[in-house]
Amino acid sequence: MIPYGRQDINQADIDAVMEVLKSDFLTQGPKVPAFEKAICDYTGSAHAVAVNSATSALHIACLALDVGPGDRVWTSPITFVASANCALYCGAYVDFVDVELASGNMCPKALSKKLALAAETGVLPKVIIPVHLAGHSCDMQTIGDLAKQYGIKVIEDAAHAIGGSYQGFKIGACQYSDITVFSFHPVKIITSAEGGVAATQNAQLACSMASYRSHGITKDPAILLRPDEGDWYYEQHQLGFNYRMTDLQAALGLSQLTRLNEFVSKRNKFAKDYKLALSGTDITLIKPMANSESAYHLMLVILPDIADRKTVFDEMREKGIQVHVHYFPVHLQPFYLNFGFKVGDFPQAEAFYQRLLTLPLYPTLTTSEFSYIVKNIRLQLYSLTAINQ
Ligand SMILES: *Cc1c(COP(=O)(O)O)cnc(C)c1O
């Protein structure tokens, strides 16, 4: 089976992990801060807090921005469920902003309308979480300007987007946001097996997230509330979690980070090849916006009206090609229906989902695998057209 995505681990990655295994620290050693510093250097963020997943990073990002019971958080319905769940962990309400049909990203027009309405009724969100679907940046300038206007904080869910850029800045520079979250799950751009980072330009937010990451405890003499009783002494100031990244994970992340540009350029090369190979068909490609470069986590395509997505999907799987669909709209998940969401709430997201298909895209895809995928998807479309004529 040709998977829709997979990691690329080389000998240097393996050696980096082995080195930590033989060292004094498997966790809470030097590799985690080194990884955080490397993320800062790469993205241009001043601070980075490494954790055990992007899901944890989203949670501590919400907590640091003071999201609590009764607050509201808005995100995109076309995303992985973690983008929405983080608000519920904090006891907040989740709502969604409809997406643009062309990109599947949060629609600035829909956001503007929804904010104006919410301002009238006094139910503005505290935080909005735009998601850079497939690695393509959202319209962050417009979203950021709207957030400023209404006094709302912004978390970029950049789980798909490390290595991409927007207006000449790397994703993670937080030009129009308070915090940017990355994922290092093996299917994403670079991996630490499991892992995530929350990047920010704000020292206070970084400090708060670091506290939530590790039980809410501190040894920092500058912020102790009681007299320091000695080297064993620490204080718990708030309720935190054990969301720490291990040194094994950080070492893998560090090694992978040195290969990030290579991964992103290979992904972009395949994206370009797909564009060429599918030109002249009725397939529409999801494109990054102008003035941005995508990390191309996913190759999302929109099938033509005549195509039955399920048939195309099944036939491709039958051929050993693990096509996928990213994502089923979150508001229609059975769990989210419990909150009163229903079909028709976010029509663009629902329409976007209907004809969506994810084609395989990852750095180690071979040219013969690529040709095989293209041949089969073209065959699918050809036979559909033939049937319909
Ligand atoms: C993968 C993903 C997450 C969660 O990442 P983990 O590191 O697996 O917790 C969050 N948001 C989006 C959009 C994702 O794709």
Side-chain angles (χ1 to χ4, degrees), residues 40-52:
C40 290
D41 291 345
Y42 186 90
T43 60
S45 69
H47 310 275
V49 179
V51 287
N52 57 2

Side-chain angles (χ1 to χ4, degrees), residues 53-55 58 79-80 82-83 131 157 159-160 183 185 188 194-195 327:
S53 71
T55 303
L58 286 164
T79 185
F80 184 55
S83 315
V131 180
D157 183 338
H160 300 181
S183 170
H185 183 278
K188 305 289 164 71
E194 291 277 4
Y327 293 89

Side-chain angles (χ1 to χ4, degrees), residues 40 43 76 83 94 102 107-108 118 122-123 134 144 217 250-251 262 269 279 282 335:
C40 290
T43 60
S76 164
S83 315
V94 176
C107 174
V123 291
I217 61 181
E262 171 204 326
K269 164 79 168 53
S279 67
D282 294 331
F335 177 73

